[in-house]
Amino acid sequence: MGNELKSRVKQRNMLTLAYLGDSVFTLMVREALVKKYDTKPNSLNKRANEIVCAKAQAKFMEMIKPELNTDELDIVMRTRNAHLNSRAKNSTLTEYSLATQFEALIGYLYLIDDNDRILEIFNKYVAVEL
């Protein structure tokens, strides 16, 4: 991962990174559920919604924060300072902010093509919840 690529990605709007990260994370959760369970889509969707929600993502963010490197912490801190125009239903403002930070981190890692790091985070913190 070149520093030039990281620099360009860091210049993006943090909420745009969160938008992408939400999609990447949702796909990862759905793929893992389909691989783990042979059940009806309605059941899979219910379980996916329990993982891909602000409350769960906030929990993941709090767990991984101590392990983040400088670049990752920079993304998290910049996202924390971003102006959030909305809030997810059934979550507090703090949970929503942490969830947005988590999504931005995933979006950042995806754009710099650090799939190994995404998988490391996913397997260590998320897969155990499935």
Side-chain angles (χ1 to χ4, degrees):
M1 290 151 284
N3 287 333
E4 183 181 326
L5 176 59
K6 286 182 180 181
S7 246
R8 282 198 326 265
V9 173
K10 281 185 176 184
Q11 292 174 13
R12 298 216 176 247
N13 180 305
M14 294 298 110
L15 299 180
T16 302
L17 292 179
Y19 170 77
L20 176 61
D22 178 53
S23 297
V24 171
F25 183 66
T26 299
L27 179 60
M28 291 179 74
V29 168
R30 288 180 176 200
E31 179 182 352
L33 287 171
V34 166
K35 287 179 177 178
K36 187 171 184 175
Y37 302 106
D38 184 19
T39 187
K40 295 180 181 179
N42 190 37
S43 297
L44 294 170
N45 192 52
K46 183 178 178 185
R47 186 66 189 123
N49 288 338
E50 293 170 356
I51 301 294
V52 183
C53 69
K55 187 176 206 104
Q57 289 175 335
K59 181 177 93 172
F60 300 141
M61 185 70 247
E62 288 181 326
M63 288 189 301
I64 67 171
K65 208 172 216 178
E67 299 177 24
L68 299 180
N69 66 37
T70 306
D71 289 331
E72 295 166 348
L73 274 174
D74 182 49
I75 294 297
V76 167
M77 299 315 277
R78 288 183 57 214
T79 305
R80 185 185 74 178
N81 295 330
H83 181 64
L84 301 174
N85 293 324
S86 61
R87 179 172 71 90
K89 57 185 176 183
N90 303 321
S91 72
T92 66
L93 188 56
T94 300
E95 288 170 335
Y96 187 66
S97 176
L98 287 166
T100 304
Q101 293 167 40
F102 179 78
E103 292 170 345
L105 175 62
I106 299 299
Y108 166 75
L109 293 170
Y110 183 80
L111 284 180
I112 65 167
D113 202 29
D114 195 349
N115 295 319
D116 290 341
R117 181 66 169 138
I118 295 172
L119 285 172
E120 178 185 341
I121 291 168
F122 189 84
N123 290 332
K124 187 170 184 179
Y125 297 104
V126 181
V128 297
E129 299 285 327
L130 301 175

